[in-house]
Amino acid sequence: MTQPKSHPVKAYSARSAVSPLAPDSIPRREPTPHDVQIEILYCGVCHSDIHYARDEWHDFLPAVYPCVPGHEIVGRVTKVGAAVTKFKPGDLAGVGCLVDADPDCPHCRAGHEHFSPTQILTYGSPDKHLGGVTFGGYSEGIVVDQRFVLRVPSNLNLAGVAPLLCAGITTYSPMRQWGDIKGKKVGVVGLGGLGHMGVKFARAFGAHVVVFTTSPGKREDALRLGAHEVVLSRSADEMAKHAGSFDFILDTVSAQHDLNAYLHMLRTTGELTLVGAPSKPLNVDAFALLIGRRRLSGSNIGSIGETQEMLDFCARHNITADVEIIPIAKINEAYERLIKGDVKYRFSIDMASLKNEPVTR
Ligand code: NAP
Ligand code: ZN
């Protein structure tokens, strides 16, 4: 296969696990027949961007540098390849964590691209077009096969739509897969980027929603976002009141924490699904699962079809992320604040701010 032509675009990259993100120039391919070229308007800042850029997941997914993070992308189509049928220039478009996978693999044929071993992540995966690795959304533009580009509803605030492409689908999918949570008691552990979306979806699906938080200052917000009850997880008394009562718990915590405390919250045959991805293993007390045949599972983003379904659901229910919009120059500060839990509840980068940034390397 001949290599497509490419052009440089501005981006922010990390050169190592310990270097701050800084302005850079990266190549993007000219659209091939099935490609959609997108000018990026907003990109959400996911905690996974930090885990990856700082190589915290080294044992599972070693980082490759330079690394351009960003997989919560919303933008406008600027050019399409000759065979593209889904999009035309001027359309809004979204890109999440995946940009390619072999359409003939059994998972993709079943509509489960997120299970495919051939999947290409938006950043850090081999780039079959240009060599090297794929680069993410902290950049002016991106070029993606139309199969992995989402239609973005025009009635929603775009800065708040960007985080739906990862935080949104990652919380929507496991609740949908669990079954009908209407009328069920659902817990969301951790009120961050994922957690606050989990609360909004659980409420929209008709569940009785309980937030577990380590942050007393988030209590009012949790109620405003849709929770019926809030539990301070560091209060043994508050925790004890809910023992053995949950049908489903979604755990979004990004760091080490006591999983067993939440397993004990489940009723008989209840299920806890992990979506948070701490870098070190979590301990599981066998008895917390054995008693009452409780279940512990995990979930990774969602399929492309499910992501479109989620975006359309958000359009109908007027759901977006609560965002703090930042210029790209504030990204290193945003990482430090995100680690401290100091954001309500997702940073969304206004990518127009990149246009004024000098490329220094
Ligand atoms: P985030 O905005 O930083 O939220 C994480 C929340 O966890 C914090 O707001 C905090 O909530 C709680 N938390 C943090 N440190 C804690 C600790 N030491 N003990 C107890 N609670 C703590 O992060 P995010 O972007 O939502 O991502 C959350 C996790 O999901 C990350 O590990 C990320 O990599 C992962 N993720 C997974 C997928 C997937 O497909 N499975 C997709 C995206 C992200 P409170 O202040 O309320 O306690
Ligand atoms: Zn993410």
Side-chain angles (χ1 to χ4, degrees):
M1 198 170 78
T2 54
Q3 186 168 309
K5 288 201 180 99
S6 66
H7 58 278
V9 302
K10 287 183 185 176
Y12 255 57
S13 74
R15 289 286 168 127
S16 80
V18 291
S19 19
L21 295 166
D24 204 347
S25 172
I26 56 165
R28 292 294 191 196
R29 65 182 181 271
E30 286 300 318
T32 64
H34 296 277
D35 280 337
V36 177
Q37 184 186 65
I38 299 163
E39 178 197 5
I40 301 175
L41 299 175
Y42 293 96
C43 184
V45 179
C46 180
H47 208 119
S48 302
D49 296 347
I50 304 180
H51 289 310
Y52 186 90
R54 299 189 175 181
D55 208 14
E56 292 171 358
W57 288 338
H58 183 84
D59 295 343
F60 169 70
L61 184 67
V64 184
Y65 300 97
C67 156
V68 177
H71 56 208
E72 295 185 334
I73 298 166
V74 69
R76 202 169 282 286
V77 175
T78 46
K79 205 193 262 188
V80 296
V84 169
T85 51
K86 269 174 71 183
F87 295 92
K88 59 180 187 325
D91 287 349
L92 293 173
V95 179
C97 299
L98 301 177
V99 289
D100 206 354
D102 176 1
D104 292 326
C105 103
H107 294 294
C108 291
R109 279 207 303 268
H112 296 144
E113 305 84 0
H114 56 315
F115 298 158
S116 173
T118 69
Q119 66 182 227
I120 300 296
L121 298 172
T122 304
Y123 57 86
S125 281
D127 184 334
K128 72 179 182 193
H129 300 275
L130 299 178
V133 292
T134 52
F135 294 123
Y138 298 0
S139 58
E140 289 176 300
I142 192 165
V143 179
V144 179
D145 186 299
Q146 67 168 340
R147 291 184 296 125
F148 290 82
V149 183
L150 285 307
R151 290 185 308 278
V152 168
S154 56
N155 63 321
L156 299 175
N157 170 278
L158 291 181
V161 166
L164 300 178
L165 276 303
C166 176
I169 184 58
T170 302
T171 50
Y172 179 95
S173 173
M175 288 191 212
R176 278 292 198 226
Q177 295 297 331
W178 186 83
D180 187 0
I181 66 170
K182 191 168 184 323
K184 304 289 183 191
K185 187 168 175 182
V186 170
V188 176
V189 188
L191 196 66
L194 265 59
H196 95 292
M197 290 311 308
V199 171
K200 291 187 184 203
F201 286 131
R203 182 67 188 243
F205 296 154
H208 180 85
V209 187
V210 182
V211 165
F212 293 95
T213 180
T214 59
S215 309
K218 292 183 183 174
R219 193 188 281 273
E220 292 309 312
D221 279 346
L223 297 170
R224 176 182 56 78
L225 290 164
H228 296 91
E229 297 179 68
V230 184
V231 175
L232 291 180
S233 50
R234 291 188 174 134
S235 157
D237 286 350
E238 288 195 33
M239 291 289 275
K241 282 185 201 145
H242 292 270
S245 67
F246 282 84
D247 296 286
F248 179 72
I249 297 178
L250 189 70
D251 184 333
T252 75
V253 175
S254 52
Q256 291 305 107
H257 62 292
D258 180 13
L259 205 52
N260 301 305
Y262 298 103
L263 292 174
H264 284 292
M265 295 283 165
L266 295 172
R267 63 157 174 75
T268 305
T269 72
E271 180 167 354
L272 184 150
T273 297
L274 278 176
V275 287
S279 53
K280 297 280 181 303
L282 298 166
N283 286 321
V284 174
D285 169 9
F287 285 97
L289 290 174
L290 303 183
I291 308 298
R293 209 205 296 148
R294 294 162 172 144
R295 286 173 299 198
L296 172 62
S297 59
S299 185
N300 187 31
I301 50 172
S303 69
I304 295 297
E306 237 177 347
T307 307
Q308 190 62 61
E309 177 192 305
M310 178 271 311
L311 287 168
D312 296 344
F313 180 89
C314 289
R316 288 197 304 279
H317 294 263
N318 202 21
I319 293 176
T320 52
D322 285 26
V323 293
E324 178 178 336
I325 299 174
I326 55 164
I328 187 76
K330 296 249 185 207
I331 188 65
N332 294 302
E333 194 184 308
Y335 275 19
E336 295 313 317
R337 285 182 53 199
L338 182 55
I339 290 164
K340 285 191 282 182
D342 175 23
V343 53
K344 292 183 170 182
Y345 276 89
R346 197 55 139 191
F347 290 113
S348 188
I349 309 166
D350 177 356
M351 293 311 310
S353 62
L354 185 53
K355 294 193 197 318
N356 307 322
E357 288 284 314
V359 173
T360 53
R361 57 187 185 193

